[in-house]
Amino acid sequence: MKPKLLVVDDDSTLLRFLRDYLQDEGYVVLTATGGAEALRLAYREHPHLVLLDVMMPGMDGWQVTTRLREMSDVPIILLTAKNTEADKLRGFRLGVDDYITKPFSFAELKARIQAVLNRARRAQDDKTHSLHLGDLEIDFDRREVRRQRQVIPLTPTEFRLLEVLAQAQGRVVAEEDLLRIVWGSHRTEDTALIRRYIWLLRKKIEPNPESPRYILTVRGYGYRLNEGETP
Protein backbone atom coordinates (compact mmCIF):
# COMPACT_ATOMS: atom_id res chain seq x y z
CA MET A 1 0.00 0.00 0.00
CA LYS A 2 1.37 3.42 -0.95
CA PRO A 3 1.98 5.74 2.02
CA LYS A 4 -0.58 8.55 2.21
CA LEU A 5 0.79 12.04 2.89
CA LEU A 6 -1.12 15.17 3.87
CA VAL A 7 0.75 18.31 2.73
CA VAL A 8 -0.38 21.63 4.22
CA ASP A 9 0.87 25.02 2.99
CA ASP A 10 -0.83 28.30 2.12
CA ASP A 11 1.57 28.78 -0.82
CA SER A 12 -0.44 27.18 -3.64
CA THR A 13 2.54 27.16 -6.05
CA LEU A 14 4.81 25.32 -3.60
CA LEU A 15 1.93 23.02 -2.71
CA ARG A 16 1.49 22.05 -6.36
CA PHE A 17 5.23 21.37 -6.81
CA LEU A 18 5.32 19.25 -3.64
CA ARG A 19 2.25 17.28 -4.68
CA ASP A 20 3.61 16.54 -8.16
CA TYR A 21 7.07 15.56 -6.87
CA LEU A 22 5.79 13.32 -4.08
CA GLN A 23 3.26 11.63 -6.35
CA ASP A 24 6.08 10.88 -8.79
CA GLU A 25 7.99 9.33 -5.88
CA GLY A 26 5.16 6.89 -5.24
CA TYR A 27 3.15 8.57 -2.50
CA VAL A 28 -0.57 9.24 -2.35
CA VAL A 29 -0.77 12.98 -1.70
CA LEU A 30 -3.59 15.00 -0.12
CA THR A 31 -3.25 18.79 0.03
CA ALA A 32 -4.72 21.58 2.13
CA THR A 33 -4.10 25.33 2.08
CA GLY A 34 -5.23 26.02 5.64
CA GLY A 35 -5.41 24.55 9.12
CA ALA A 36 -9.15 23.86 9.33
CA GLU A 37 -9.12 22.04 5.98
CA ALA A 38 -6.06 20.04 7.07
CA LEU A 39 -7.77 18.87 10.26
CA ARG A 40 -10.87 17.76 8.36
CA LEU A 41 -8.74 15.77 5.91
CA ALA A 42 -6.64 14.23 8.68
CA TYR A 43 -9.75 13.11 10.53
CA ARG A 44 -11.38 11.65 7.42
CA GLU A 45 -8.40 10.20 5.52
CA HIS A 46 -5.99 9.04 8.29
CA PRO A 47 -2.72 9.93 6.51
CA HIS A 48 0.51 8.12 7.33
CA LEU A 49 2.39 11.44 7.67
CA VAL A 50 1.58 15.18 7.75
CA LEU A 51 3.92 17.72 6.14
CA LEU A 52 2.90 21.01 7.73
CA ASP A 53 3.89 24.63 7.13
CA VAL A 54 4.22 26.68 10.33
CA MET A 55 3.50 30.21 9.10
CA MET A 56 -0.07 30.19 7.79
CA PRO A 57 -2.82 32.80 8.22
CA GLY A 58 -5.63 31.99 10.60
CA MET A 59 -4.78 28.67 12.23
CA ASP A 60 -1.00 28.36 12.09
CA GLY A 61 1.10 25.22 12.14
CA TRP A 62 1.53 25.27 15.92
CA GLN A 63 -2.23 25.24 16.44
CA VAL A 64 -2.74 22.53 13.82
CA THR A 65 -0.06 20.39 15.49
CA THR A 66 -1.78 20.76 18.86
CA ARG A 67 -5.15 19.75 17.42
CA LEU A 68 -3.65 16.82 15.51
CA ARG A 69 -2.03 15.53 18.69
CA GLU A 70 -5.42 15.55 20.41
CA MET A 71 -6.81 13.13 17.82
CA SER A 72 -3.84 11.14 16.55
CA ASP A 73 -0.17 10.19 16.85
CA VAL A 74 0.36 10.61 13.09
CA PRO A 75 3.98 11.57 12.30
CA ILE A 76 4.37 15.31 11.63
CA ILE A 77 7.19 17.13 9.79
CA LEU A 78 7.13 20.91 10.13
CA LEU A 79 8.15 23.20 7.27
CA THR A 80 9.31 26.65 8.34
CA ALA A 81 11.36 29.63 7.22
CA LYS A 82 12.66 30.02 10.79
CA ASN A 83 15.74 28.19 12.01
CA THR A 84 15.93 29.23 15.66
CA GLU A 85 16.53 26.69 18.41
CA ALA A 86 13.51 28.01 20.31
CA ASP A 87 11.18 27.24 17.40
CA LYS A 88 12.63 23.76 16.96
CA LEU A 89 12.25 22.99 20.66
CA ARG A 90 8.69 24.29 20.58
CA GLY A 91 7.89 21.93 17.73
CA PHE A 92 9.44 18.89 19.40
CA ARG A 93 7.65 19.66 22.67
CA LEU A 94 4.36 19.69 20.80
CA GLY A 95 5.15 16.23 19.47
CA VAL A 96 6.45 16.78 15.93
CA ASP A 97 8.80 14.18 14.48
CA ASP A 98 11.08 16.32 12.32
CA TYR A 99 11.68 19.89 11.20
CA ILE A 100 12.78 21.17 7.75
CA THR A 101 13.88 24.75 7.17
CA LYS A 102 12.92 26.52 3.94
CA PRO A 103 14.39 26.60 1.36
CA PHE A 104 15.04 22.86 1.12
CA SER A 105 15.84 20.43 -1.67
CA PHE A 106 13.32 17.83 -2.75
CA ALA A 107 16.00 15.17 -2.19
CA GLU A 108 16.35 16.22 1.46
CA LEU A 109 12.57 16.28 1.86
CA LYS A 110 12.26 12.76 0.44
CA ALA A 111 14.97 11.47 2.77
CA ARG A 112 13.35 13.07 5.83
CA ILE A 113 9.91 11.70 4.95
CA GLN A 114 11.25 8.19 4.43
CA ALA A 115 13.22 8.29 7.70
CA VAL A 116 10.18 9.39 9.72
CA LEU A 117 7.93 6.79 8.05
CA ASN A 118 10.51 4.07 8.77
CA ARG A 119 10.67 5.06 12.46
CA ALA A 120 6.88 5.08 12.68
CA ARG A 121 6.68 1.66 11.02
CA ARG A 122 9.22 0.16 13.43
CA ALA A 123 7.38 1.66 16.41
CA GLN A 124 4.10 0.20 15.15
CA ASP A 125 5.68 -3.22 14.67
CA ASP A 126 6.98 -3.11 18.26
CA LYS A 127 3.56 -2.30 19.73
CA THR A 128 1.44 -4.85 21.47
CA HIS A 129 -1.52 -5.09 19.11
CA SER A 130 -4.08 -5.85 21.81
CA LEU A 131 -4.29 -5.95 25.59
CA HIS A 132 -6.85 -7.70 27.78
CA LEU A 133 -7.93 -6.18 31.08
CA GLY A 134 -10.48 -8.43 32.70
CA ASP A 135 -13.44 -8.39 30.32
CA LEU A 136 -12.00 -5.48 28.34
CA GLU A 137 -9.95 -5.73 25.15
CA ILE A 138 -7.87 -2.77 23.95
CA ASP A 139 -7.28 -3.17 20.21
CA PHE A 140 -4.42 -0.88 19.18
CA ASP A 141 -4.74 -1.66 15.47
CA ARG A 142 -8.41 -0.68 15.30
CA ARG A 143 -8.02 1.89 18.11
CA GLU A 144 -11.02 0.39 19.86
CA VAL A 145 -11.95 -0.78 23.33
CA ARG A 146 -14.43 -3.65 23.53
CA ARG A 147 -16.31 -5.38 26.30
CA GLN A 148 -17.69 -8.78 25.30
CA ARG A 149 -17.28 -7.81 21.62
CA GLN A 150 -19.25 -4.58 22.10
CA VAL A 151 -17.31 -1.44 21.18
CA ILE A 152 -17.07 1.17 23.92
CA PRO A 153 -17.05 4.55 22.14
CA LEU A 154 -13.99 6.60 23.11
CA THR A 155 -12.89 9.95 21.75
CA PRO A 156 -9.42 10.06 20.11
CA THR A 157 -8.05 11.84 23.19
CA GLU A 158 -9.54 9.28 25.57
CA PHE A 159 -8.06 6.41 23.56
CA ARG A 160 -4.66 8.13 23.36
CA LEU A 161 -4.68 8.59 27.15
CA LEU A 162 -5.48 4.90 27.66
CA GLU A 163 -2.84 3.94 25.10
CA VAL A 164 -0.11 5.90 26.92
CA LEU A 165 -1.01 4.20 30.20
CA ALA A 166 -0.97 0.80 28.49
CA GLN A 167 2.44 1.44 26.94
CA ALA A 168 3.86 2.04 30.43
CA GLN A 169 3.17 -1.67 31.15
CA GLY A 170 1.96 -1.19 34.70
CA ARG A 171 4.40 1.57 35.65
CA VAL A 172 3.11 4.81 37.13
CA VAL A 173 2.90 7.72 34.67
CA ALA A 174 3.14 11.20 36.18
CA GLU A 175 0.34 13.66 35.51
CA GLU A 176 2.84 16.03 33.88
CA ASP A 177 4.05 13.30 31.53
CA LEU A 178 0.50 12.35 30.53
CA LEU A 179 -0.29 15.98 29.77
CA ARG A 180 2.90 16.46 27.76
CA ILE A 181 2.46 13.28 25.70
CA VAL A 182 -1.28 13.52 25.08
CA TRP A 183 -1.86 17.29 24.94
CA GLY A 184 1.57 18.89 24.48
CA SER A 185 3.92 20.79 26.77
CA HIS A 186 1.77 23.95 26.80
CA ARG A 187 -0.78 22.18 29.04
CA THR A 188 1.59 20.79 31.68
CA GLU A 189 0.14 22.99 34.43
CA ASP A 190 -3.47 22.08 33.73
CA THR A 191 -3.87 19.15 36.13
CA ALA A 192 -7.65 19.64 36.17
CA LEU A 193 -7.70 18.63 32.48
CA ILE A 194 -6.05 15.27 33.09
CA ARG A 195 -8.28 14.52 36.08
CA ARG A 196 -11.39 15.32 34.07
CA TYR A 197 -10.36 12.98 31.24
CA ILE A 198 -9.39 10.22 33.67
CA TRP A 199 -12.88 10.50 35.17
CA LEU A 200 -14.54 10.41 31.74
CA LEU A 201 -12.47 7.38 30.76
CA ARG A 202 -13.28 5.58 34.00
CA LYS A 203 -17.00 6.19 33.48
CA LYS A 204 -16.75 4.37 30.16
CA ILE A 205 -14.51 1.41 30.98
CA GLU A 206 -14.72 0.78 34.72
CA PRO A 207 -17.41 -1.50 36.22
CA ASN A 208 -17.57 0.98 39.11
CA PRO A 209 -15.92 4.35 38.41
CA GLU A 210 -16.06 5.24 42.10
CA SER A 211 -13.87 2.23 42.89
CA PRO A 212 -11.69 1.84 39.78
CA ARG A 213 -10.23 -1.54 38.89
CA TYR A 214 -8.16 -0.63 35.83
CA ILE A 215 -7.02 3.00 36.02
CA LEU A 216 -5.49 3.46 39.46
CA THR A 217 -4.49 6.73 41.09
CA VAL A 218 -1.11 7.09 42.74
CA ARG A 219 -1.92 10.00 45.00
CA GLY A 220 0.18 13.09 44.51
CA TYR A 221 1.95 11.69 41.43
CA GLY A 222 -0.07 10.17 38.60
CA TYR A 223 -1.83 7.06 37.30
CA ARG A 224 -1.09 3.50 36.30
CA LEU A 225 -2.99 0.84 34.39
CA ASN A 226 -3.67 -2.25 36.49
CA GLU A 227 -3.46 -5.39 34.36
CA GLY A 228 -4.75 -7.69 37.10
CA GLU A 229 -8.35 -8.42 38.01
CA THR A 230 -8.22 -6.39 41.22
CA PRO A 231 -6.04 -3.48 42.42
Side-chain angles (χ1 to χ4, degrees):
M1 181 176 64
K2 293 182 179 180
K4 184 187 299 183
L5 309 182
L6 172 57
V7 185
V8 188
D9 200 301
D10 63 320
D11 183 335
S12 57
T13 301
L14 176 60
L15 198 62
R16 186 173 64 255
F17 284 141
L18 289 173
R19 181 196 63 206
D20 293 347
Y21 171 75
L22 292 170
Q23 285 179 341
D24 288 344
E25 291 298 319
Y27 296 103
V28 175
V29 183
L30 309 169
T31 61
T33 56
E37 181 186 7
L39 290 172
R40 287 194 296 270
L41 280 171
Y43 184 81
R44 187 176 72 233
E45 299 291 341
H46 304 289
H48 296 96
L49 182 144
V50 177
L51 194 62
L52 176 63
D53 185 36
V54 172
M55 303 303 293
M56 296 186 296
M59 185 183 295
D60 63 20
W62 306 120
Q63 294 169 299
V64 175
T65 297
T66 300
R67 295 286 298 278
L68 284 172
R69 280 291 165 262
E70 290 175 355
M71 69 169 76
S72 168
D73 57 359
V74 61
I76 300 171
I77 298 178
L78 288 182
L79 303 176
T80 180
K82 296 183 177 181
N83 194 28
T84 66
E85 184 178 12
D87 280 328
K88 290 182 179 180
L89 290 175
R90 181 181 181 184
F92 289 128
R93 286 169 182 156
L94 287 175
V96 305
D97 296 84
D98 206 348
Y99 198 105
I100 301 179
T101 304
K102 296 179 179 179
F104 52 84
S105 70
F106 282 176
E108 178 190 7
L109 177 64
K110 177 186 174 183
R112 296 287 188 97
I113 288 173
Q114 194 57 56
V116 170
L117 286 174
N118 287 341
R119 288 200 301 269
R121 192 175 296 115
R122 286 194 298 269
Q124 185 64 40
D125 290 343
D126 290 342
K127 277 187 181 179
T128 301
H129 293 289
S130 65
L131 176 67
H132 290 270
L133 300 174
D135 62 351
L136 291 179
E137 180 185 5
I138 305 172
D139 187 327
F140 297 106
D141 289 333
R142 294 178 177 269
R143 303 191 71 77
E144 290 179 349
V145 176
R146 296 184 289 270
R147 176 179 282 118
Q148 297 176 353
R149 298 185 180 180
Q150 296 296 313
V151 175
I152 300 173
L154 300 184
T155 67
T157 301
E158 289 167 350
F159 188 89
R160 178 61 176 149
L161 178 59
L162 184 61
E163 183 180 42
V164 172
L165 290 171
Q167 288 170 346
Q169 299 180 331
R171 298 188 302 275
V172 181
V173 184
E175 284 187 340
E176 293 80 4
D177 290 335
L178 285 171
L179 284 163
R180 175 178 52 80
I181 295 168
V182 178
W183 284 275
S185 61
H186 64 297
R187 304 298 289 271
T188 53
E189 301 301 320
D190 195 354
T191 55
L193 178 68
I194 188 70
R195 291 170 188 170
R196 182 165 66 251
Y197 268 87
I198 289 289
W199 170 243
L200 292 171
L201 192 52
R202 280 172 171 165
K203 285 176 66 178
K204 292 183 177 182
I205 72 169
E206 295 281 3
N208 180 4
E210 298 289 350
S211 181
R213 175 187 299 176
Y214 304 124
I215 302 176
L216 306 183
T217 301
V218 178
R219 193 171 300 279
Y221 187 76
Y223 303 90
R224 71 178 181 89
L225 197 65
N226 177 49
E227 299 184 12
E229 286 295 322
T230 58

